[in-house]
Amino acid sequence: MAISAQDKMLYVANKLGLTSLKDMQGSTRVVYDQITTVAADHILFAGAAQRNFPLTNLGANGNQFQVDEALLVEQIGFFIPDADDGQNYAGAGPNGSSVKFDLVIGNKTVIKDCVVESGGQQAFYNDGAVASSILTLEGVGILIPPQVEFYVRASTFSGSTRASQSRRLGCYLFGTAALLNFNTTI
């Protein structure tokens, strides 16, 4: 028996004591963060509260959602900012960098040593002209619950030589969002 993304979100909400989620409206959400300092290793989303738009769209809460928000991650995308201002992007295409990453939610690593190849699945999520390398999470995705910190630990390397590369790096998390509107605290 297959479980849908919405079923997973309802299951978690019921475990948290919110039985009225089935009556609420979901939405599509994209959160992103980028590090414009050139480095081989990056920790994205951690410290996002200290960065402003357009470097991130997370705002003052940083790398955790408010008490009434959750995100079911269905795709993870990476892009290469080509300047310190974070407003323009270089392609992560066939001659660009591949990325090895971990997704950590709370104190649990939920995706470990996953590789997104520069010549793999592509989508135009950043500026409509330059492709991002993305990973689609088949099935039910991964839920980031309210008030739990999350981050992506990532390293860039050459897609052709496999050698470590120092680059700027950005990450998008795409998925289904819900405003949970809890009547009780967690």
Side-chain angles (χ1 to χ4, degrees):
M1 176 172 113
I3 184 171
S4 71
Q6 291 78 14
D7 290 337
K8 183 174 185 174
M9 196 172 268
L10 286 170
Y11 175 79
V12 171
N14 283 331
K15 288 291 186 183
L16 294 173
L18 178 66
T19 58
S20 61
L21 180 64
K22 65 185 180 302
D23 301 321
M24 295 178 192
Q25 183 173 346
S27 180
T28 301
R29 185 164 185 192
V30 177
V31 295
Y32 73 89
D33 189 36
Q34 57 187 311
I35 305 293
T36 56
T37 302
V38 175
D41 299 309
H42 301 275
I43 298 180
L44 297 144
F45 299 104
Q50 285 78 41
R51 290 186 285 283
N52 295 319
F53 181 83
L55 298 178
T56 186
N57 69 345
L58 287 174
N61 289 323
N63 65 328
Q64 63 182 4
F65 297 119
Q66 294 179 26
V67 71
D68 58 351
E69 297 177 316
L71 176 65
L72 186 69
V73 179
E74 298 171 79
Q75 288 187 327
I76 300 172
F78 291 94
F79 61 95
I80 308 295
D82 70 355
D84 288 341
D85 63 8
Q87 295 184 33
N88 294 308
Y89 309 97
N95 297 320
S97 290
S98 294
V99 178
K100 182 177 88 169
F101 74 96
D102 301 339
L103 174 60
V104 180
I105 301 173
N107 61 356
K108 303 288 185 197
T109 301
V110 296
I111 297 179
K112 182 163 180 61
D113 293 335
C114 185
V115 175
V116 177
E117 295 289 353
S118 61
Q121 185 180 3
Q122 303 272 304
F124 297 98
Y125 285 115
N126 45 43
D127 69 356
V130 179
S132 297
S133 295
I134 63 169
L135 171 70
T136 300
L137 302 173
E138 297 291 335
V140 296
I142 296 173
L143 186 71
I144 301 175
Q147 295 187 307
V148 176
E149 292 187 349
F150 63 94
Y151 62 92
V152 172
R153 191 173 31 239
S155 302
T156 54
F157 62 93
S158 168
S160 57
T161 67
R162 314 310 269 179
S164 176
Q165 286 184 332
S166 291
R167 304 291 294 263
R168 297 176 177 94
L169 188 64
C171 180
Y172 286 91
L173 303 178
F174 310 88
T176 303
L179 293 177
L180 301 175
N181 196 16
F182 282 99
N183 292 328
T184 58
T185 57
I186 298 176

